[in-house]
Each structure stands twice: as C-alpha cells, then as structure tokens.
Amino acid sequence: VLRALATPTIGHLDPAFGELMEEVAARLRSVFGTANRATLPVSGTGSAGMQAMVDNCVWPGERVVVGVAGAFGERMADALSRRGADVVRVEAAAWGRAIPIGDLVAALGSGADALFVVHGETSTGVLQPLDGLGEACAAAGALFMIDCVTSLAGAPLAVDEAGVDVAFSGTQKCLNCPPGLAPLTMSDRAVERLLGRDGPVPSWYFDLRAILAYWRSEVAGAPPRAYHHTAPINMVYGLHEALGLVLAEGLDERWERHRRAHDALRAALLCYGLERIAPAGEELVSLLAVSVPSGLSDEAAVRRALLLDHGIEISGGLGPLAGRAWRVGVMGEGARQEPQERLVSALGALLGASAAERRAAADALAHNWDTSVTHM
Ligand SMILES: Cc1ncc(COP(=O)(O)O)c(C=O)c1O
C-alpha cells in the first residue's frame, strides 16, 4: 500500500485516473457488499464520511433516532444536533454493551426520518447487531445509516443484505491503509431522497450531489464526470491497492482471520487476568477492549512503556472507561500472530507476570492460531 501511495501523481481529470476511480468504486462495492451505484471514497478521514452523511441525508427539524453506546455514537448525536435534527437518543445499558434492538425499533415506532447506529464502537470494543433494523427502517420510511469505520473488512457486514441505506468508513482501520479517505455508500432510495430535496446541502465541500457527478458519471440525473474538487490522487492509489489486497484474501477469509486473531489475543490476555469488557456475542472482533488490572496504579505508564520501549501502541479508555480500559486493535495486518506474540510477551514483562503465566499466555495464543483453518 505504501508503495502504491508513491506512484507518480497524475492529473485528476486524466482519463487514466477516471478508470482508477471506477475500479476503486467497484472494489468498494464488493467490500461493502452492495450494488449501490453511489459508492465512493469521500476526501478526508472517517469523520468526513460522517459529515457527508449528516449534511446530505438529514434536514433541519427531522427526527433521527441515534444509538449512543460510546464516543462515536456521541459524536454523531452532536453532529446531528448541529445540523438542527431532532435527535432521539437510544442508549445502551452502559458503555461496553450493545443497544437492544427492541429499544431502537421502539424509538422508530412513533415515526422517524432516519436511524443511525455505530456498527463497530471503537471506544468500547462492542459490535452493534443490525438484525431487523433494516426492515424496521424500511417499514417506518426511515433511512438506515451506519458508521462502519472499525468493522468494514474486519467483521461480517453486507450493507445490502442488512438493508442499510447509507454507510461510511475510514481507510486506516481494517482496510489497512493510511488515514485520509472515507469510503461511503448510499442506496438509490437515499440518493433519490437527496436529489429530490429543496435547497442546498449546507456544506459546499461535502455536497454529494456535486461529488457524485465527479465520482460516478452514470448516477441517475447526474451530468458527465465534472470537476468538483481535486481528489487526493495518491490516497486513491493507496486505497485501490488496499482494497485489492482485501479482495485477494477474500472477505470471508479476512473476517475469519480477524475472528481468530481476536479469540487468540483474548485467550492470551486472560492469562494475565485481563478480562474483555464486551460480553460474548457483543464483541467487536477488530478491537479487543479489556479491563485494566485493578491493582495497577498507573495504566498510562504501561502503555507508554509499550510504545517507547517496544514500539507497540495500544489505546486507553475514553469517557466512562478512561483509566479503566485498554483497547487493542485487531485490524488488518495487526490481526496476525507475530505482532500479537510481541504484544503478549511485552505486556507480560511490563505487568510483572510470573514465568508460568507468561508461558500460559504464549501457549494460549499459539494454540488458538494453530487450531485455525489456514495461515496467510
Ligand atoms: C467508529 C468510528 N467512527 C468514526 C471515527 C472517525 O474517524 P477519523 O478519526 O478517521 O476521522 C473513528 C475513528 O477512530 C471511529 O473509530
């Protein structure tokens, strides 16, 4: 991917770049599991995808049900409030838990224009189940919108099958590319709703009516490919390569590898007494969030030593989990045995684990990888 990023830059209206854009859009469709024509990488990081979704799919005064179970649900509720939406919050019992589907459906019941949930909540390591939400939204006439920044290409997701109308992601998580683009997909229903709206989209930069005309010339009603802004050419090269790698591995195989990596790391960290926060069935495979050991006075010092002495970065908790959680990425090339071995070994040393505990952790990791189906 880094080599692809260094490919000599060409002009963004060069026909060769146009072909690359078509290929990137086609690869994104495969990875999202969608036939949506309106599928493209928004210029900017994952939050640019969020802003594009908010600005183009929600109009002031509309009632939007928002699942809030962590920092990224909170961020969306904030962005929607700034847009002037009537935000109906539906919360999980606590950070570290999924939101009951019944609560989300019940909130839709009284009428809503849209429903939003974070599929993979990076702040808690929880995967929000989507079962039944697509049907409930279709019945209520609401757009079904999701954030799949941390789940796309790491956890099973097929946008069309789930009845999702609008989804955004980021390049730097399970797509294994540097940050800088926000893959986004929109159903025909969502595009039609946008094209039928009166008045301008509030942000010039994220106006998808114009951006769709730049990215997808054959979207209904759109004029031929027309300049809007200069695409970040080299990032598009990088994403093209990253998507190619995802598809060469195979989505099912990639999801399976992330699952195996999650289970292996979880089993190893349990040997140090580090318990996963998410209960079984609600875990986000691409992010393992564990409770910090109760006797540890300075958890940040451990993370600092991991980074400075071992070159391994893990994250601390956010919001109510600040100081109480460690969040370990199990994403892309991080979801491999070798980096996990280094982490388990370094953490064992920093936590002062006994030789027996360290051996048990290494064995648990190896055992979980060995019992796996394939090695890439
Ligand atoms: C679930 C989720 N949503 C949105 C974002 C925002 O993406 P970015 O930081 O790339 O703007 C992140 C970033 O970590 C995320 O994890």
Side-chain angles (χ1 to χ4, degrees), residues 172-173 179 265 269 286-288 299-318 325-331 334-335 339-340 342-344 346-347 350:
Q172 73 273 27
K173 299 285 202 290
L265 189 60
L269 296 188
S286 45
L287 190 131
L288 177 63
E299 65 83 20
V302 175
R303 287 188 289 116
R304 216 166 25 247
L306 264 181
L307 183 61
L308 298 181
D309 302 340
H310 300 273
I312 301 171
E313 186 180 17
I314 67 169
S315 301
L318 297 171
W326 281 335
R327 296 178 303 127
V328 186
V330 184
M331 304 174 190
Q340 292 190 334
R342 289 196 291 118
L343 169 63
V344 167
L347 202 52
L350 289 168

Side-chain angles (χ1 to χ4, degrees), residues 27-85:
R27 288 180 181 187
L28 278 178
R29 271 183 217 106
S30 299
V31 172
F32 271 122
T34 185
N36 290 340
R37 289 173 300 172
T39 302
L40 60 116
V42 175
S43 301
T45 63
S47 304
M50 179 190 75
Q51 196 64 55
M53 178 189 274
V54 169
D55 288 357
N56 290 273
C57 300
V58 178
W59 251 239
E62 288 189 346
R63 188 167 182 275
V64 185
V65 176
V66 183
V68 180
F72 294 101
E74 285 289 0
R75 178 179 293 190
M76 188 59 167
D78 179 15
L80 285 164
S81 300
R82 293 175 192 220
R83 178 77 175 106

Side-chain angles (χ1 to χ4, degrees), residues 45-48 72 75 118 120-122 147 149-150 168 170 172-173 179:
T45 63
S47 304
F72 294 101
R75 178 179 293 190
V118 180
E121 186 39 271
T122 325
D147 167 341
V149 167
T150 296
F168 71 89
Q172 73 273 27
K173 299 285 202 290

Side-chain angles (χ1 to χ4, degrees), residues 167-374:
F168 71 89
S169 190
T171 41
Q172 73 273 27
K173 299 285 202 290
C174 301
L175 292 176
N176 227 135
C177 190
L181 288 171
L184 177 128
T185 188
M186 258 174 115
S187 66
D188 287 354
R189 184 164 87 113
V191 173
E192 276 159 27
R193 195 186 275 207
L194 169 63
L195 296 179
R197 298 275 202 185
D198 289 331
V201 169
S203 59
W204 186 92
Y205 195 66
F206 295 118
D207 183 350
L208 285 172
R209 287 170 176 148
I211 294 172
L212 287 174
Y214 179 42
W215 264 89
R216 295 291 303 157
S217 48
E218 75 259 39
V219 165
R225 192 185 300 287
Y227 167 69
H228 175 256
H229 67 279
T230 308
I233 308 288
N234 291 58
M235 268 310 296
V236 178
Y237 293 155
L239 178 60
H240 179 262
E241 180 67 19
L243 292 168
L245 291 169
V246 169
L247 295 171
E249 181 175 4
L251 271 180
D252 286 338
E253 290 76 8
R254 196 174 179 87
W255 294 337
E256 161 64 22
R257 173 166 63 80
H258 280 74
R259 159 55 63 192
R260 194 180 311 142
H262 178 103
D263 291 346
L265 189 60
R266 179 184 180 223
L269 296 188
L270 261 179
C271 300
Y272 302 148
L274 302 174
E275 304 258 3
R276 187 176 67 200
I277 293 171
E282 295 185 1
E283 72 275 18
L284 172 60
V285 284
S286 45
L287 190 131
L288 177 63
V290 294
S291 295
V292 166
S294 48
L296 191 64
S297 57
D298 188 356
E299 65 83 20
V302 175
R303 287 188 289 116
R304 216 166 25 247
L306 264 181
L307 183 61
L308 298 181
D309 302 340
H310 300 273
I312 301 171
E313 186 180 17
I314 67 169
S315 301
L318 297 171
L321 295 177
R324 294 174 39 213
W326 281 335
R327 296 178 303 127
V328 186
V330 184
M331 304 174 190
E333 288 309 301
R336 300 264 184 211
Q337 186 169 355
E338 186 276 337
Q340 292 190 334
E341 280 169 357
R342 289 196 291 118
L343 169 63
V344 167
S345 163
L347 202 52
L350 289 168
L351 291 176
S354 68
E357 286 166 337
R358 296 188 64 183
R359 212 167 28 248
D363 285 351
L365 189 79
H367 174 74
N368 273 272
W369 278 100
D370 284 348
T371 52
S372 60
V373 190
T374 52

